[in-house]
Amino acid sequence: MANYNGPATIVTVRGEIEVIVDLRSGADPDDGLIWAGQVDRDGRGELDRAMYEMSPYGLVIRLPDGREGNFMPSADTSVSVRGFMRG
């Protein structure tokens, strides 16, 4: 499977938020790839804003190579995400 650890962008209706992600892919039951991992940002307020502005489809996370996907944050205290990557 694939891994990505580095800079990324959360795209919201009010702009973009630069973050660091640590994502790993794995097989889902439908033979696709599902990605899961952590999102980190120095200013927690920016992540809170992103979650407040999140669409019903989750956070849109874009990698520097142009791939992006919808990720749903988990309910734990850190910002863990799980979702699909397009591209």
Side-chain angles (χ1 to χ4, degrees):
M1 300 299 140
N3 297 324
Y4 177 76
N5 186 339
T9 304
I10 295 177
V11 182
T12 72
V13 294
R14 294 196 178 142
E16 298 181 344
I17 300 167
E18 300 302 317
V19 295
I20 301 295
V21 297
D22 183 8
L23 301 174
R24 288 170 178 60
S25 68
D28 78 349
D30 297 324
D31 293 327
L33 285 179
I34 192 158
W35 290 73
Q38 301 288 322
V39 177
D40 188 24
R41 169 85 171 128
D42 288 336
R44 178 64 193 199
E46 290 291 304
L47 281 177
D48 291 342
R49 179 174 68 89
M51 302 249 242
Y52 179 75
E53 296 174 1
M54 179 174 63
S55 82
Y57 303 106
L59 297 171
V60 175
I61 297 177
R62 181 181 304 138
L63 302 183
D65 66 4
R67 290 182 292 167
E68 68 179 36
N70 294 74
F71 290 82
M72 294 304 290
S74 69
D76 64 12
T77 57
S78 65
V79 182
S80 298
V81 292
R82 185 171 172 87
F84 295 92
M85 188 70 67
R86 298 177 294 279

